Amino acid sequence: MPTKSVAPRLRIGDELHALLAPPSPDPFPSLADALYERLWKRIVNREFPPGARLSDEALAKELGVSRTPVREALLRLRQVGLVRVSARRGFAVPIVDRQDVIELYDLRTAIEVYATRRAVHRLCDGDVAAHRQRQQAAHQRAASLAPVDAEEFVRADLALHESIHQHGGSRHSARVLTDVMGQLSLLSLRAAQNPASRLAAIEEHTRILDAIDRRDPDTAAAAMEAHIQAVKVRALADIGGEDD
C-alpha cells in the first residue's frame, strides 16, 4: 500500500522573514548578523518552546562558532522581544502574556492602518483580484480541521497583509512589523487551527478588499483597524482573558 505524503509543517518564521523583513543594507553581514537572522527564524518557527532556556554555550557548540557572536545575536533578539534575559535563568524564549497581546496588537494596528490608507491607490486591480481568489479558496476550506488547510489560510493571510504593507508601508515599519508578528506567531498559528476564527478573519479580509476595490482609504483603514482589533480579542479569548 503506498504511503500517504505528509505536507511539510509551516515554518512561520521563514515565511514572515521572506515576506516582510527588509533586506540587509550590508552585502557582507557579520557572523552575529547571520546568527541573529538564523535564531530569529528558529524561535518564531517554535524550534524552541516558549519559556525554553537558550544557552549561549550550547548554541555556540551546536552552530560551530564562539560564544561571543551568539551572545551578541541573543542580546539583539532581546531588543525586539524574541528573547528575555534574567539573572537567574539567563537567556530564554519569552512567554507571551495577556498584556503583551494587547500591546503588540495595538502596535500592529497602528502600523497596518497607516499602510492600508496609503496602499489603497497603489494596489492594482489585478492584485486585489488575486487576493480575493485566495480568500475565496480559504473560505471554501474554512470548516476543515486538516492542518494543511490551516497552513494555507495562514499563507493567504500573510500574503494579503504583506501586499498591503509593501504598497503602503516603509522599510522602518516593515522591520517593526516583522518583529511584532514574530512575537505574535504562536498565537496566530493557534488561532488558525480554529475554523470559526479563520472564517471570521476571511470575512474581515473581504471587507478590507471591498474598500480597496472602491478606492476608499477611510473605509479601508477602518476595516483594517476593526480586523486587527478583532484578532486581538480572539487571541485574548484563546489564552483565557478578555479585553478591557
Side-chain angles (χ1 to χ4, degrees):
M1 179 188 246
T3 57
K4 197 179 285 186
S5 62
V6 178
R9 174 181 169 271
L10 180 68
R11 295 177 62 81
I12 189 69
D14 293 7
E15 298 272 343
L16 276 173
H17 204 276
L19 284 170
L20 287 172
S24 171
D26 189 349
F28 303 104
S30 68
L31 178 57
D33 290 335
L35 291 172
Y36 171 87
E37 181 175 317
R38 186 170 178 179
L39 290 173
W40 192 101
K41 292 178 182 177
R42 291 183 66 181
I43 291 169
V44 177
N45 284 335
R46 294 194 68 179
E47 292 183 31
F48 309 105
R53 183 171 177 270
L54 297 171
S55 165
D56 56 339
E57 183 177 6
L59 286 170
K61 185 176 180 180
E62 175 193 342
L63 297 169
V65 298
S66 68
R67 291 175 65 180
T68 299
V70 173
R71 286 183 63 84
E72 184 178 335
L74 290 171
L75 288 170
R76 284 179 57 194
L77 287 163
R78 177 194 186 187
Q79 294 174 355
V80 300
L82 286 170
V83 166
R84 288 183 180 166
V85 184
S86 69
R88 183 173 60 87
R89 299 194 66 223
F91 298 107
V93 178
I95 297 173
V96 178
D97 61 24
R98 181 175 182 275
Q99 190 59 35
D100 290 328
V101 170
I102 293 170
E103 293 178 4
L104 288 167
Y105 273 114
D106 286 351
L107 179 55
R108 183 180 169 188
T109 299
I111 295 171
E112 296 216 55
V113 166
Y114 165 79
T116 301
R117 188 179 296 278
R118 286 163 47 91
V120 165
H121 294 293
R122 300 178 182 183
L123 278 160
C124 70
D125 293 343
D127 291 331
V128 176
H131 286 299
R132 280 194 186 281
Q133 289 180 350
R134 292 194 74 165
Q135 294 300 314
Q136 288 167 0
H139 188 278
Q140 291 172 359
R141 299 192 298 268
S144 169
L145 296 174
V148 68
D149 289 331
E151 292 181 4
E152 283 307 308
F153 161 77
V154 173
R155 288 191 175 96
D157 176 77
L158 290 177
L160 173 60
H161 287 278
E162 183 275 337
S163 183
I164 289 172
H165 191 274
Q166 183 184 55
H167 287 84
S170 69
R171 286 178 303 156
H172 295 292
S173 61
R175 189 171 292 110
V176 176
L177 183 60
T178 305
D179 292 327
V180 166
M181 291 182 71
Q183 292 177 70
L184 290 170
S185 63
L186 304 185
L187 299 170
S188 300
L189 286 177
R190 189 159 61 182
Q193 308 303 316
N194 184 330
S197 294
R198 296 206 300 266
L199 186 58
I202 292 165
E203 291 173 351
E204 291 153 11
H205 290 160
T206 300
R207 287 193 283 272
I208 295 167
L209 288 168
D210 286 345
I212 293 174
D213 219 2
R214 296 193 305 270
R215 306 303 171 187
D216 183 344
D218 291 339
T219 302
M224 177 62 81
E225 180 174 8
H227 167 51
I228 302 297
Q229 289 298 305
V231 175
K232 178 179 77 172
V233 170
R234 292 194 287 270
L236 288 167
D238 192 43
I239 62 173
E242 295 181 358
D243 199 8
D244 293 328

